[in-house]
Amino acid sequence: MRVVLAEDGVLLRAGLAGLLDRFGFEVVAEAGDAAALRLAVTEHGPDLLLTDIRMPPTFRDEGLRAAVELRRDHPGLAVVALSQYVQYDYASELLGSRDGRGVGYLLKDRVADIEEFVAALRQVAKGGMVVDPQVVRQLLRRPSDPVHRLSPREREVLALIAEGHSNSSVAERLVVSEAAVGKHIGNIFAKLDLPPADDVHRRVLAVLAYLRHNE
C-alpha cells in the first residue's frame, strides 16, 4: 500500500515513516507543508494520504484544507487526518466527501494501540470510515454557525469581500470569471439566510457573519 505522509514535525514524521515501513506500507513521499503535500499526491498517486491538520505557514488548517481539495481532485484517494485538534471548518467536509468512503479522523493523543492504529489505516484504505469518538462528540457539540455551511471556495470569496475587495478584484485573485464570483456570492447569501434585498446591505451582513465566525 503506497502512502504519502504529511507532518511538519521532523521527529514525528520519521517515527511514523518507520512505523508504516515496519507494517508493510510503502511511504512513497514525505511532506512538511501543504504545498509539498499537494505536489507529492499529484506526482505519486498514492493509495492513502496520512496528514496532520495544522501545517506551515500559519499552522491553522492547511493540511486539512489540502486533503479536502485532493479528495475532490483525486477521487480514489483515501485520507486519514491525524491531529491533536478537531478543526470544525473542514472536518465535516472531509468526512462527508465521497459519502464517507475511504476517510478517517484520529486524534494523536488518543492513539493508544499501534496495531489498532495500523488496522484503522488499512480499513480506510479499503474504503471504510474510522473516526475517533471524541471527534464525533466535538462536532455534534459545535455551535450553530451559518458560515459552516459555506464551501471552501465560498469562504475564500467571503474572506476577500471582508478585506474590501470588489467582485472584479476577487475574480482576479482567484483566477475565475466575475460571473463565477457572482454565483458564489449568491450562494453565500442563500446559505447565510440573507433574503433578497439591497445587495450592498446583504454584503455587509455577510461580512459581519464572517467576522463573528472568526472571533
Side-chain angles (χ1 to χ4, degrees), residues 48-168:
L48 174 68
L49 165 63
L50 177 59
T51 182
D52 193 6
I53 287 173
R54 298 189 174 186
M55 303 186 75
T58 68
F59 294 96
R60 293 181 62 187
D61 58 9
E62 285 88 344
L64 188 53
R65 289 176 60 188
V68 169
E69 294 167 8
L70 288 166
R71 287 268 288 182
R72 186 169 57 242
D73 297 338
H74 302 270
L77 178 66
V79 172
V80 173
L82 180 64
S83 182
Q84 292 177 305
Y85 311 94
V86 178
Q87 169 50 259
Y88 296 113
D89 286 353
Y90 288 85
S92 295
E93 187 162 354
L94 175 66
L95 296 176
S97 61
R98 287 174 44 209
D99 297 323
R101 297 190 303 273
V103 66
Y105 198 127
L106 303 175
L107 298 178
K108 292 177 181 178
D109 292 344
R110 289 171 54 84
V111 175
D113 186 286
I114 296 299
E115 292 190 357
E116 287 183 4
F117 173 66
V118 171
L121 298 184
R122 295 191 188 281
Q123 183 176 340
V124 170
K126 291 177 181 178
M129 172 188 276
V130 178
V131 184
D132 189 295
Q134 183 64 28
V135 173
V136 176
R137 285 193 290 271
Q138 290 193 40
L139 289 176
L140 289 175
R141 289 200 303 265
R142 183 178 64 183
S144 177
D145 182 349
V147 175
H148 288 298
R149 303 171 191 166
L150 304 183
S151 71
R153 175 62 88 183
E154 289 161 358
R155 281 193 285 267
E156 285 182 299
V157 170
L158 184 51
L160 290 171
I161 291 173
E163 292 175 5
H165 293 282
S166 65
N167 286 16
S168 60

